[in-house]
């Protein structure tokens, strides 16, 4: 692996800002009010469910799986606009919640909340250096940015393994972690859409389940795994209909090109999840106390 890849095996700040710093206002037009930008968890009898409720349910599920309720310190890697951080301290009695994001717009938004028990850093997990261990770690929808498509198979595993080793080091003994990520499903990496990997999420790539399993080996025990791909199809369809409902003001804000790009991306994603080409994994992981 060359030096550049060793330092930045995944998306750079510039690539992340290309996607997330379009405009906070634009994202408000189609995300739910908590501005959660990841797959929701719909109820089984879900027709009455709202996106807001389904996002709350997802956050509460991830918090419960990470055994983060009432603990002292929780890290959220890839914290977006802070929905998990806020729910941790406001609802789940967490003393201190720390978020990481590479997006300047997201970090500024969280700072503007001025919450005494929330801390945000605009830096990568690669640069993170906590002042004290964490009781739990949550990472939702960020892992998709941790390896670039041009990495070789062994470089990719090395990059993911490095991520899990860092998390292991930051957690208290026996600590828990929850990870939510999109992955390839019934589709090969070579078939990945050029549009998604360059225009929408540059310098990023999806993992395969086997790669996650391989990179956690000897570091974390996989306690639970669910594939909720249909939940993401429904989430994308909901985002798409909200975006379309706000078509005129969205175009006035970001222009026709950006609007059409996001519309196409949400449509393609919904179809990909429905067909099983891509999957939505939620993993519950427990730190192995001795590394092997
Ligand atoms: C799809 S958003 C998900 C946000 C949030 N977890 C949610 O569910 O609403 C992906 C997040 O990952 C962050 N991210 C991407 N690469 C990162 C890295 N190397 N280190 C820290 N955060 C990263 C982005 O800045 C963004 O906040």
């Amino acid at each position: 692996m060359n030096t550049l890849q060793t330092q930045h095996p995944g998306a750079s700040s510039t690539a992340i800002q290309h996607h997330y710093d379009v405009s906070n206002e634009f994202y408000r037009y189609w995300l739910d009010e908590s501005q959660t930008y990841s797959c929701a968890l719909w109820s089984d009898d879900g027709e009455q469910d709202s996106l807001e409720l389904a996002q709350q349910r997802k956050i509460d599920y991830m918090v419960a799986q990470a055994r983060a309720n009432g603990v002292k310190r929780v890290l959220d890697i890839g914290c977006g606009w802070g929905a998990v951080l806020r729910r941790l301290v406001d609802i789940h009695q967490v003393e201190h919640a720390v978020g990481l994001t590479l997006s300047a717009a997201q970090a500024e938004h969280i700072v503007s909340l001025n919450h005494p028990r929330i801390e945000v850093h605009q830096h990568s997990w690669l640069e993170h250096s906590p002042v004290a261990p964490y009781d739990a770690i949550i990472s939702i929808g960020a892992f998709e940015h941790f390896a670039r498509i041009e990495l070789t198979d062994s470089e990719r595993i090395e990059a993911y393994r490095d991520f899990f080793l860092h998390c292991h080091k930051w957690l208290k003994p026996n600590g828990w972690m929850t990870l939510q990520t999109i992955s390839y499903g019934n589709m090969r990496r070579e078939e990945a859409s050029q549009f998604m990997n360059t225009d929408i999420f540059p310098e990023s790539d999806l993992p395969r389940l086997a790669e996650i399993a391989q990179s956690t080996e000897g570091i974390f025990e996989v306690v639970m795994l669910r594939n909720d791909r249909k939940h993401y199809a429904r989430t994308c369809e909901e985002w798409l209909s909200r975006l379309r409902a706000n078509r005129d003001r969205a175009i006035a804000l970001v222009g026709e090109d950006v609007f059409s790009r996001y519309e196409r991306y949400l449509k393609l994603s919904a179809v990909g999840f429905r067909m099983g080409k891509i999957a939505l994994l939620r993993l519950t992981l427990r730190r192995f106390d001795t590394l092997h």
Side-chain angles (χ1 to χ4, degrees):
M1 195 187 281
N2 68 35
T3 319
L4 182 73
Q5 282 172 347
T6 309
Q7 283 167 357
H8 300 287
S12 62
S13 297
T14 312
I16 290 295
Q17 288 173 16
H18 165 83
H19 186 88
Y20 297 97
D21 292 8
V22 168
S23 143
N24 284 352
E25 187 66 18
F26 172 65
Y27 280 101
R28 267 185 222 114
Y29 291 162
W30 49 283
L31 298 181
D32 69 305
E33 65 192 14
S34 74
Q35 286 187 272
T36 300
Y37 189 17
S38 51
C39 176
L41 183 57
W42 301 93
S43 74
D44 291 338
D45 57 0
E47 285 317 308
Q48 308 302 324
D49 224 359
S50 70
L51 180 61
E52 279 72 15
L53 254 181
Q55 290 294 14
Q56 252 177 42
R57 186 180 299 113
K58 181 271 299 298
I59 295 174
D60 293 349
Y61 170 80
M62 298 296 278
V63 171
Q65 290 298 111
R67 278 66 176 169
N69 216 306
V71 301
K72 270 192 164 167
R73 285 171 55 78
V74 179
L75 175 67
D76 179 7
I77 305 174
C79 62
W81 286 275
V84 170
L85 298 173
R86 273 183 280 132
R87 219 164 154 77
L88 280 170
V89 296
D90 291 343
I91 307 292
H92 294 287
Q93 290 101 32
V94 167
E95 264 181 38
H96 198 75
V98 179
L100 309 184
T101 175
L102 285 178
S103 152
Q106 292 177 342
E108 277 160 28
H109 173 78
I110 296 170
V111 169
S112 77
L113 301 175
N114 215 3
H115 201 304
R117 282 153 55 210
I118 291 179
E119 176 185 331
V120 65
H121 298 280
Q122 191 194 326
H123 64 215
S124 169
W125 61 268
L126 275 158
E127 285 118 44
H128 189 54
S129 165
V131 293
Y134 293 107
D135 297 285
I137 296 179
I138 297 173
S139 184
I140 305 177
F143 198 82
E144 297 90 329
H145 296 296
F146 295 171
R148 299 180 189 197
I149 197 148
E150 61 269 23
L151 296 192
T152 64
D153 288 351
S154 60
E155 285 171 340
R156 183 182 317 277
I157 297 296
E158 199 186 317
Y160 292 155
R161 233 181 135 66
D162 191 31
F163 169 71
F164 288 117
L165 281 168
H166 275 79
C167 293
H168 184 280
K169 185 175 69 182
W170 298 331
L171 273 175
K172 288 185 180 164
N174 272 316
W176 293 76
M177 169 171 178
T178 41
L179 177 76
Q180 174 171 313
T181 181
I182 306 172
S183 74
Y184 286 108
N186 189 16
M187 169 181 165
R188 284 176 294 121
R189 181 163 280 126
E190 302 77 62
E191 296 171 302
S193 145
Q194 174 89 356
F195 166 71
M196 295 293 273
N197 284 27
T198 51
D199 291 11
I200 301 297
F201 295 112
E203 301 179 2
S204 301
D205 187 25
L206 302 180
R208 288 189 293 126
L209 174 57
E211 291 161 350
I212 300 177
Q214 195 181 341
S215 21
T216 52
E217 225 171 83
I219 307 173
F220 281 95
E221 178 179 15
V222 180
V223 178
M224 186 151 157
L225 164 68
R226 44 192 290 184
N227 176 358
D228 285 330
R229 68 179 168 82
K230 291 197 176 153
H231 290 242
Y232 218 160
R234 184 164 172 196
T235 306
C236 290
E237 286 155 5
E238 178 70 31
W239 286 339
L240 184 59
S241 80
R242 289 175 182 225
L243 179 64
R244 284 177 170 156
N246 284 298
R247 187 192 156 85
D248 291 347
R249 48 188 196 145
I251 290 177
L253 189 69
V254 298
E256 181 93 44
D257 276 3
V258 173
F259 176 86
S260 311
R261 234 184 323 121
Y262 276 74
E263 188 184 33
R264 182 173 166 211
Y265 136 62
L266 292 174
K267 232 181 332 185
L268 277 178
S269 302
V271 171
F273 286 118
R274 286 256 171 246
M275 292 175 71
K277 284 177 177 288
I278 46 179
L280 186 277
L281 307 179
R282 304 194 221 251
L283 291 103
T284 305
L285 305 166
R286 187 180 197 178
R287 193 186 111 124
F288 276 133
D289 279 342
T290 317
L291 286 175
H292 288 288

